[in-house]
Amino acid sequence: MSAGGQPLSAEETQRAAQAAAEKHFAAAVAPPIMAGTRRIYLVGGLGVAVLLSASAFLYWKLSAPPGSPVAPAPAEARTVAPAARPAAHAVPAPSPAPEAPEATAAPAPAAAPAPAPSDVPRQGFSWNAAEQARKALRYSEALAHYRGLLEQSERNPGNRRISGLLHLRVGACLEGLNRLQEARKAFAEAADASSPIVRAAACYETARMDVSENQYMMGRLRAYQALACLGPIGARSPLATNSEYLAAHAVTYRALSFYGNDLPKTRHLPPAVDPFGGLSETQLQNVIGEGADRLSAAVLGPQIQSKDGPAGAHLWTAVCAGAPIGDVLSRLATAAGFEIRWEGVDAAARSRPVVLNLSGAGEQQLTEIACGSVGLMARFTGAETVIYDPVACASASVPRDLAVREAVSLWRRFFLKATDNGQLAAGHFNLAVLYERTGDSGAAMAEFRLVASRYPTDALAPLSLLREASVKIDLRDYSGAREELLDLLNRYPDCPASDEVYLRLGQATIESGHEDEAIATFKKLYFMDLSLASKAGASLGAGKGFFRKKQYDEAAAWLTRRVALARSPDVDRDLPEAYGLLAKTEAARGHLPAAVSAYKQALAIAPHDSWRAEMLLDLVHILVQQEDFVGALALLEGLSPKEAAPPQADEILLAKAEILAAMRLPEQAMSLLRRALPACSSPETHARMTLQLARAMVDCGDANLARETLCELLPKMEPGALAHRTALDLADVCVRSGHNTQAITVCRELLKSPCSEEVRRSARTILGRAYVREKDYQRAAMALSGMPLDARGAAKP
C-alpha cells in the first residue's frame, strides 16, 4: 500500500519486494573466511527466496479489501523455497491468538516442507580462529577450520601456495591428535607445495616422526630435503639449525646401529618449528612466496652458479625444480672442476628428482645435501667424489663407514654454528658414543669430558662422566675410573643413573684390589633396592668379591641370591656368568655335584659362544675330578675346535688328550697332540702340549724319548710355574730311564729357584729317589727330610 493508502500495482509490488531482498542481503551472508589475501562471503540464497515469497504473500494479504474472500495464491506462488531451519538455541515465538474465521474465508495454505540437510547454511572458517585454537591445543577445532579453509582454497588453482600451508597445518593438528598416519599424508601433500619454506617445514616434521620411530635413513633423507629448500646456507633460522641437528642425529644412530642394538637411551630430538606463527596476512604471503619464482624459473633444468667467498673459496647457488640427481651433480662437477664416480648406483637411482633452493654453500656441502635429499651418500677423497647408494652396497662395512664419516662431518659443522646449549651437549654426547663404538677411546673420553665441563647443568653431564668412567674400565684404568665415579657421586648425588654408577664403582674398586670396599659398595646398592637389574648386578659383584677373597661360603650365598632373582631381559644378560661363578665356587667348596648342576644351568641359557666354550671346559675338568671320563669326553666331542677361538681350540685339544691319557689310551693322546702341535696359538700352549706329549710317551713305555723331548723343551721356556712343572717331569723321567745324575742336577737347580712349596716337596722326593738309585742313602735321607743341602749335595751344618 502506498503512503497515501492506495493499493500498489503488481509491478510496484514486485519492485518493492526486490528492493527489500537486496536490503536484506547483507544480513544473509555467512561469516567471512580467509582464502589467501581476499575475504569472500557466502550468500544466503535460500533466505532471499523465502523473503521474496513472504513479501508477495504479505502484499496480497494487505491489499485485499475488507470482507473480500481470501483467494488462494496462484500455483507459482505456492511453490516456494523452504524456510531456513531455526537455530537449536533459539527461543520459539509465542503462538498468535486464534481469530474467528469468517464464513467466506478460504482454508489457510499448507505449511512449507521441512528443509533438507543440504539446505542448511555452511559454517564459516577463519585463519585467525584456527591459529588460536591450535595454539590453545584445541586440535579438533583447529582441524575443522583448516580443512574448511583448504577446501575453499583448492577451488582456485592460483592458491597452491596457500593450500600447501593449510596442508601443513592440517598435518600438525593430526599429529597433535596422535593420528600419525593421517598426519604423514598431510605432510606429504605440503612437501609437494610450490613454496620452498612450506616444503622445508613439511619435510622437517616428517623427519622428526621418522627418527622418533627409529627410521633413521628416512629421517636423514627428509632432513636433507628440508635443508635443500632453505635458501641461504648462512641464515641461522631455527628450522635450518634443527634440520642440521636432525640430519646429524639420524646418521649417527644409523651408524651406531651397525655396532649392535644397544643404542643410547637418551635421545634429544629438536621440537617442532613454526616459521609462520604470528605473521600478518601480508607477511605470510611474502614468506611463502619467497623462492617460489626461482623454482619456477628452473623448471627446464638446474641453475648452478658460483661466486667468490671469504678466503677465495667458491660459494655456490643451486636452484632445481625436480631435475635428476645425475644431471645436477654432472653440472656441479663440470663447474667446480672435480670428478664424479658412481659406485653401485643404478640408472634409476641417478634419475631421482632433486628440489634445491640453496645459496652460499661450498661444493662439498652442496653435494652432500643434494645426495642426501635423494637417499644417496657421498665420500670425498680429494681427487674425486664417490657417490654410493647405501641400500645397494654389497658389503655392510661400506654404508657403516660412510655413515660414521658423514656423522662426524655433520657434527663438526653443526658445532661451529649452533648456539643452543641443549643441542650442543646432545651433539657432543652422540659423537662421543660414536667414537666409543668405533674404538676411538681417546676421542670418546675427550668428548664426554667436554660435555661434563662445558655443560655441567645439562642432564647429560652426569651420564657423560659415567660413560667416561666406563671407557676407562674397558681400558683397565680402574683407579682412574674409580676416581671419576667418586667425583660423579659427589657432584651429582641425585644422578638418575645411580644404580649403574654404583655398579661401575664397585667393578672399578674390586679390579683395583680393594675387595672389602667393593663388597661394601655392592651390598649398599643391593639393599637400596633401586631396580631388579641393580640387585642382580650388586649380588653378582658381591659374590665376585667374596670369591676373590676365597670366602666361598659367603660367595655362594650371594651368588645364590643372584640366580634366584626373577627372570627378565634386563636381568638375564649376566645370568650365565653368575651360574658359572657359582659352579666354580661350589667346586672350590668341594661340592662337585652342585658345581655340575650350576654349569648345566648356565649352558641351558645358551650364552655367547666364548662363554659356552669356557664353561664346557670347566665342566669337563670337574667331571674328570669325578672320574667321569666318558661324560667329559662326550661334552668335548660336542664342542668343535673349528667353531671356537684359537686359544679355546687349543684348550679343547689339551683336555681331550688329558682325558685319553686318564682312560689309559696314551697312543690316541700322542696322535692327537702331534697333529695339534704345528697349529698352536701361542708358545705357552705349545709347551703345555709338548709336556703332555712327553707324559703320553712315558705311559707308552718310551721314557728315553720323553727325556729327549723334555730336554729340548726346557731351555726354551720362560721362568715360571710351567717351567717348574716341566723340570719336575724331566727329573722324574730321568729317574725312570736311569739317568740319576741328570735328575739330581735338575732337582738341585730347581730347589735354588723361587718355586712354590709344593714344587719344592716334589723336587725333594724325586731327589731322594735319585740318591737311593745311586745308593747314597745319607743324602737321600737328608733330601727326604727337608734338610738344606750345600753345593756338593751334603747337608749344611
Side-chain angles (χ1 to χ4, degrees), residues 587-588 590 592 618-629 632:
L592 298 184
D618 290 339
L619 179 56
V620 164
H621 292 313
I622 293 178
L623 292 176
V624 169
Q625 293 180 45
Q626 293 181 317
E627 298 185 354
D628 184 3
F629 303 123

Side-chain angles (χ1 to χ4, degrees), residues 469-550:
S470 300
V471 174
K472 289 184 176 180
I473 289 175
D474 294 338
L475 296 175
R476 300 182 183 277
D477 182 10
Y478 300 116
S479 299
R482 181 169 172 269
E483 293 177 2
E484 197 80 43
L485 292 166
L486 290 173
D487 179 57
L488 168 59
L489 290 174
N490 183 46
R491 293 170 58 185
Y492 303 98
D494 298 327
C495 175
S498 58
D499 52 349
E500 188 175 355
V501 173
Y502 278 107
L503 280 175
R504 289 295 188 177
L505 178 59
Q507 182 181 356
T509 303
I510 197 173
E511 296 296 342
S512 301
H514 302 85
E515 286 85 3
D516 292 332
E517 184 179 344
I519 290 172
T521 301
F522 285 127
K523 283 184 175 180
K524 178 179 179 180
L525 176 60
Y526 181 86
F527 291 112
M528 287 172 68
D529 199 10
L530 296 176
S531 65
L532 190 62
S534 66
K535 293 187 71 174
S539 53
L540 177 59
K544 285 181 180 179
F546 283 117
F547 182 84
R548 293 195 179 191
K549 294 185 67 177
K550 297 184 178 180

Side-chain angles (χ1 to χ4, degrees), residues 565-583:
L565 291 173
R567 299 284 299 273
S568 71
D570 293 337
V571 175
D572 291 354
R573 190 175 305 171
D574 61 358
L575 190 56
E577 182 184 2
Y579 271 115
L581 187 57
L582 178 59

Side-chain angles (χ1 to χ4, degrees), residues 315-334:
L315 299 180
W316 296 86
T317 296
V319 182
C320 179
I325 181 64
D327 292 354
V328 175
L329 293 183
S330 177
R331 293 198 184 191
L332 177 61
T334 302

